Amino acid sequence: MPLNRRTFVGRSAVAGVGVALAGGVGAGSAAASEARGHGHGRPPKRYSFTVMGTTDLHGNVFNWDYFTDQEFDDKAHNDVGLAKISTLVDQVREERGRRNTLLIDAGDTIQGTQLSYYYAKIDPITAKRGPVHPMAQAMNKIGYDAAALGNHEFNYGIPVLRKFEEQCEFPLLGANALDAKTLRPAFAPYVIKRLRTPHGRDVRVAVLGLTNPGIAIWDKANVGGKMVFPGLEEQAAKWVPKLRSMGADVVVVSAHSGSSGTSSYGDQLPYVENAAGLVAEQVPGIDAILVGHAHSEIPEYFVTNKETGKRVVLSEPLKWGQRLTLFDFDVVWEKGRWVVEKVGASVLNSNAVEEDPQITSLLGDEHAKVVAYVNQVIGTSVAAMSTADAPWKDEPVIDLINLVQAETVRAALAGGEYAALPVLSQAACFSRTAAIPAGEVTIRDAAGLYPFENTLEARLLTGAQLKDYLEYSARYYVRTAAGSPVDTSKLTNAEGIPDYNYDVVSGVTYDVDIAQPAGSRIVGLSFEGAPVDPAARFVFAVNNYRASGGGNFPHVPGAKQLWANSDEIRNTIIGWVQAKGSVDPAEFASVGWRLTRDGVPVF
């Protein structure tokens, strides 16, 4: 990295050279400072430091895709994993001086890859003399100072989370994760770190951790009656003044909450899901917010606090260790304390560096075990199945996902109030390259059908609501007049709608008339051969992303939740294939929907 102003200040401080050399940093000359009342011709005491941040690591240590069994790659050639982040962190520490840096995370750490699944379920860290979680090992080695709790931390239950917490050499923070009975924090709300300056006065940096109120819905099975999760704004308003009164010079919030001010879970909770921007706007006394949860890349974003008029900097580094945020602070000694004079943020791209061999060698054995695990044969398939045509044809491989989901929900509701209702299921084509081969099927093959970390729910829908849902989904097709040629490369993704937001529903039959305008395309919607009654009630097997508002589909987010679990759908599919031993598409494949134009099938 080039030697810039900040590099110079950092290195000078480490070398014991007076920071007076950099008197002009951030706020003009010494003369200008005197005019502000420092007086006596002495330049003010200044110090610069950097807070680095990651978020939504989701179990990524290596730059590896366990589903494709090869190095991770995407269209933008991003890289992933803590081994890459470690190299970036080392570079920043070298440049700024290790003592002038802190490293924090904004949550969603222990779920998301087959590596993290393996150490939660297959060789669990909770076992007697169990292993140390790879994420704890890597983060300890890199030297994290704190990490906020993410909502996915709760997916494997509180015992797994508590064991992970015990294995980390840094605190897991959650000021708004409260014990349900005492309403006291169930985790450390904050940590205060001291940075030594060349002036004999430490800078005290408080890191306040806030997590997502949606945990109460998404992981109800694990946290119900045990923990409650009030809103970020109210808890920040409670803790920030306390941290200031305890002598914090700088307050950084690590928030597992996006910046948009929106919620995907409707009116089920009185709290905002993506509240980081609201926290900055409403709570005085915050200097910077590390944003997580939304899987967005926001290098630098300023929000003006309504009460003080002060600008607060927010930054969200891209998920999975693809980016590292840097908050660069300049502080000045004024009236007996350090005051933030200037703060900015930027991100570094992990694809610009090699993996840190210290991390890859530390966890080489764990990685090898998981690679062997995902390549394990779990059954056989009588025929090959592929998603290549799934965006425009009812394909057996999508039927398989719906079959597994419907069976799982039916079993969960057996013997209960809703056991007699018919179960429908939604699924989407997540990848046009997923395939189940004829012959041996591995964990990797089955998991590849469902690359997202979604979990399964059951909601109650009426026939009328189902029709609305399907009409909304069918917007995905470009309107194509009867008789005109059909080019599949131009047929889908109308208005930029991604494949994963085109749902098909099993358990009913219907046509999608692509010659009609969006909103008037579902024809002949039937259940067991008869037209669907608008007042009929159905159980709808649906993923939690859709159920919590993802894709903005109608009715489902507000529909009554009948059941939910926290096991990833892809792992439910794996378990189903293992239990069956052999998969035969002839047993479940059917044409439940088709594309038509004026009643004539397109294919």
Side-chain angles (χ1 to χ4, degrees):
M1 293 187 185
L3 188 70
N4 57 23
R5 167 188 65 72
R6 184 170 311 285
T7 316
F8 173 70
V9 177
R11 287 191 181 160
S12 301
V14 173
V17 179
V19 166
L21 286 171
V25 173
S29 67
S33 299
E34 273 203 62
R36 296 210 326 257
H38 291 284
H40 309 300
R42 284 201 305 273
K45 295 170 182 172
R46 282 200 166 82
Y47 174 66
S48 297
F49 66 94
T50 298
V51 177
M52 298 176 276
T54 53
T55 191
D56 296 278
L57 292 166
H58 282 290
N60 285 282
V61 173
F62 296 83
N63 186 41
W64 192 260
D65 184 336
Y66 291 97
F67 295 128
T68 60
D69 203 23
Q70 59 194 6
E71 194 171 295
F72 176 88
D73 196 23
D74 64 11
K75 283 177 189 165
H77 301 300
N78 288 302
D79 287 347
V80 299
L82 277 169
K84 292 265 182 172
I85 290 294
S86 183
T87 303
L88 288 176
V89 167
D90 282 348
Q91 287 183 358
V92 174
R93 284 173 176 161
E94 176 68 26
E95 182 192 329
R96 268 87 158 158
R98 187 184 177 109
R99 288 184 177 182
N100 305 318
T101 65
L102 295 172
L103 175 60
I104 63 176
D105 183 80
D108 275 5
T109 305
I110 58 169
Q111 175 276 349
T113 61
Q114 289 295 301
L115 179 76
S116 48
Y117 178 78
Y118 187 89
Y119 287 99
K121 298 277 194 172
I122 308 302
D123 185 9
I125 59 172
T126 45
K128 209 173 180 178
R129 290 192 288 280
V132 177
H133 200 290
M135 295 302 285
Q137 290 192 58
M139 293 171 86
N140 290 342
K141 181 75 174 169
I142 294 167
Y144 273 77
D145 292 289
L149 294 164
N151 51 288
H152 283 287
E153 259 63 86
F154 294 85
N155 286 175
Y156 296 123
I158 291 170
V160 169
L161 175 52
R162 286 297 189 196
K163 188 65 182 179
F164 175 68
E165 179 187 31
E166 189 187 303
Q167 293 177 343
C168 290
E169 292 165 7
F170 52 90
L172 298 184
L173 307 177
N176 62 328
L178 310 181
D179 181 278
K181 292 183 180 64
T182 66
L183 297 184
R184 294 171 67 86
F187 295 84
Y190 66 88
V191 65
I192 296 181
K193 307 295 289 187
R194 298 173 83 105
L195 293 174
R196 189 169 295 171
T197 75
H199 306 293
R201 304 275 190 164
D202 293 353
V203 175
R204 284 167 292 196
V205 182
V207 180
L208 177 68
L210 295 169
T211 192
N212 205 289
I215 294 163
I217 294 171
W218 303 320
D219 261 308
K220 192 175 181 180
N222 289 325
V223 300
K226 296 172 186 166
M227 290 186 196
V228 293
F229 302 87
L232 285 85
E233 307 98 306
E234 82 170 54
Q235 293 300 302
K238 173 183 169 179
W239 285 100
V240 172
K242 284 187 182 179
L243 295 171
R244 289 292 184 184
S245 70
M246 290 162 66
D249 301 301
V250 177
V251 174
V252 177
V253 173
S254 184
H256 192 75
S257 180
S259 62
S260 65
T262 60
S263 281
S264 66
Y265 46 70
D267 56 4
Q268 296 177 69
L269 276 184
Y271 311 120
V272 176
E273 176 183 350
N274 294 305
L278 298 174
V279 171
E281 186 181 85
Q282 296 173 17
V283 182
I286 296 167
D287 296 297
I289 302 181
L290 178 66
V291 178
H293 182 62
H295 289 204
S296 302
E297 181 179 349
I298 305 172
E300 182 182 63
Y301 173 53
F302 288 96
V303 173
T304 301
N305 184 268
K306 279 184 172 171
E307 192 173 315
T308 64
K310 191 181 118 177
R311 293 203 318 160
V312 182
V313 67
L314 288 75
S315 179
E316 182 175 6
L318 199 56
K319 65 185 184 295
W320 306 347
Q322 294 178 45
R323 303 288 185 274
L324 175 70
T325 278
L326 308 183
F327 290 109
D328 288 320
F329 287 88
D330 296 332
V331 293
V332 63
W333 185 259
E334 277 183 359
K335 296 177 185 168
R337 58 184 291 259
W338 290 107
V339 177
V340 174
E341 190 171 43
K342 189 180 173 200
V343 56
S346 57
V347 295
L348 300 177
N349 193 330
S350 67
N351 73 5
V353 295
E354 295 300 315
E355 291 185 312
D356 182 347
Q358 285 197 301
I359 302 297
T360 53
S361 61
L362 175 72
L363 293 164
D365 289 350
E366 286 84 345
H367 175 64
K369 272 185 196 172
V370 176
V371 169
Y373 163 73
V374 299
N375 283 293
Q376 222 173 280
V377 174
I378 52 170
T380 57
S381 178
V382 172
M385 294 181 280
S386 157
T387 55
D389 293 337
W392 50 84
K393 284 184 188 171
D394 188 347
E395 289 289 296
V397 74
I398 304 296
D399 293 338
L400 174 63
I401 297 171
N402 274 327
L403 172 70
V404 172
Q405 292 181 164
E407 282 192 2
T408 303
V409 165
R410 213 172 276 119
L413 297 179
E417 184 185 349
Y418 302 97
L421 291 181
V423 178
L424 312 180
S425 176
Q426 64 75 226
C429 173
F430 292 130
S431 160
R432 297 190 185 192
T433 58
I436 298 288
E440 291 186 339
V441 177
T442 64
I443 284 175
R444 183 161 68 77
D445 296 324
L449 294 181
Y450 220 104
F452 295 109
E453 299 93 17
N454 299 341
T455 57
L456 188 59
E457 297 194 11
R459 297 282 176 126
L460 190 62
L461 286 189
T462 65
Q465 290 174 328
L466 174 67
K467 173 92 166 11
D468 287 349
Y469 187 98
L470 289 169
E471 287 286 9
Y472 182 84
S473 184
R475 299 174 314 130
Y476 170 75
Y477 293 107
V478 174
R479 190 175 181 184
T480 310
S484 65
V486 174
D487 177 355
T488 55
S489 72
K490 294 174 183 164
L491 178 64
T492 61
N493 310 98
E495 300 171 42
I497 296 167
D499 292 350
Y500 62 75
N501 275 343
Y502 173 59
D503 285 1
V504 301
V505 174
S506 73
V508 287
T509 57
Y510 57 95
D511 290 347
V512 180
D513 189 336
I514 59 172
Q516 298 304 315
S520 307
R521 290 178 169 174
I522 302 302
V523 180
L525 178 60
S526 303
F527 173 70
E528 293 185 343
V532 166
D533 179 348
R537 297 198 307 164
F538 297 94
V539 174
F540 195 48
V542 59
N543 69 56
N544 69 309
Y545 173 75
R546 194 67 81 233
S548 59
N552 206 25
F553 277 62
H555 306 306
V556 173
K560 183 179 176 67
Q561 186 191 71
L562 309 181
W563 171 85
N565 81 352
S566 60
D567 199 16
E568 294 161 23
I569 291 168
R570 62 185 173 212
N571 293 318
T572 305
I573 295 169
I574 290 165
W576 187 91
V577 174
Q578 279 177 313
K580 289 281 284 186
S582 177
V583 177
D584 184 356
E587 292 176 4
F588 56 81
S590 64
V591 179
W593 66 275
R594 61 184 184 169
L595 298 188
T596 60
R597 289 183 294 183
D598 295 344
V600 179
V602 175
F603 300 106

